[in-house]
Amino acid sequence: MAHEVKAKDLGITLAKGDEAALFKWFLASFLFGKRIQQDIAVDAYHVIVDKYKRDSPRKLCNCSWQTLVDMLGEGRYVRYDESTAERLLKLCDRLNTEYKGRVGTIFEVSDSRKDLDRRLREFDGIGPKTVEIFMREAGPVWCGSDSI
């Protein structure tokens, strides 16, 4: 894949208020944010979301660490499979406990773009690159062009 993978390439249509799509893009952005080939990240996303239907923080948190490692391995995401599985479990746990299981809540409680970026980077394994990938498409839909 020579181009940047977009949400629509994964079958995700982002729309304000569509929490399911927002979480899927958040998960995809997390996978793309690592030093790994895009096609491998795409495969891992499809295995987790499409094959095993782990498409919400609750469903993802109901996986064991080993189950996630196995899913990542099936998607060829083997370079970081163990640390990624651990971070994904922490990510969904934090979403469930601090943000009512909703990525949209992060947008709602942030009072500025800087605050939003900070909240996103507080998740283990999310750095500036992941935030950039996520916000490239989620920002315009969820924040509008003149807010956050």
Side-chain angles (χ1 to χ4, degrees), residues 6-30 32 45 49-50 54-57 59 95 101-104 107 133-135 137-139 141-142:
K6 299 187 178 334
K8 68 179 180 175
D9 297 328
L10 300 172
I12 303 168
T13 303
L14 290 169
K16 185 140 185 157
D18 187 343
E19 179 61 30
L22 188 64
F23 176 73
K24 288 177 185 178
W25 182 240
F26 190 51
L27 174 60
S29 299
F30 180 88
F32 289 125
Y45 170 83
V49 171
D50 297 332
R54 302 299 180 164
D55 56 0
S56 73
K59 290 177 184 175
L95 275 175
R102 298 178 61 251
V103 178
F107 286 93
I133 293 166
F134 178 67
M135 290 302 293
E137 294 190 54
V141 172
W142 280 72

Side-chain angles (χ1 to χ4, degrees), residues 7 18 30 63-64 112 126-127:
D18 187 343
F30 180 88
C63 288
S64 70
S112 66
I126 293 186

Side-chain angles (χ1 to χ4, degrees), residues 10-146:
L10 300 172
I12 303 168
T13 303
L14 290 169
K16 185 140 185 157
D18 187 343
E19 179 61 30
L22 188 64
F23 176 73
K24 288 177 185 178
W25 182 240
F26 190 51
L27 174 60
S29 299
F30 180 88
L31 295 170
F32 289 125
K34 307 297 170 269
R35 292 180 179 267
I36 200 152
Q37 294 173 353
Q38 282 191 114
D39 62 327
I40 293 173
V42 167
D43 288 351
Y45 170 83
H46 286 304
V47 167
I48 293 168
V49 171
D50 297 332
K51 184 173 182 181
Y52 292 102
K53 309 295 183 203
R54 302 299 180 164
D55 56 0
S56 73
R58 181 184 52 78
K59 290 177 184 175
L60 197 59
C61 262
N62 283 335
C63 288
S64 70
W65 174 82
Q66 187 60 57
T67 298
L68 269 175
V69 169
D70 292 345
M71 283 191 268
L72 290 163
E74 188 175 332
R76 302 180 300 129
Y77 202 101
V78 293
R79 185 171 175 195
Y80 301 108
D81 58 347
E82 294 182 1
S83 62
T84 298
E86 185 175 325
R87 288 178 171 153
L88 283 173
L89 289 172
K90 288 180 181 178
L91 178 143
C92 63
D93 183 60
R94 185 175 200 144
L95 275 175
N96 286 328
T97 57
E98 294 183 29
Y99 295 105
K100 303 174 190 167
R102 298 178 61 251
V103 178
T105 302
I106 302 169
F107 286 93
E108 293 163 9
V109 300
S110 298
D111 55 19
S112 66
R113 173 61 193 259
K114 185 177 179 181
D115 185 37
L116 176 61
D117 286 2
R118 178 190 58 78
R119 288 175 186 274
L120 291 170
R121 286 191 319 273
E122 285 177 348
F123 286 88
D124 189 19
I126 293 186
K129 186 63 178 175
T130 302
V131 171
E132 176 190 324
I133 293 166
F134 178 67
M135 290 302 293
R136 179 181 72 219
E137 294 190 54
V141 172
W142 280 72
C143 300
S145 57
D146 52 354

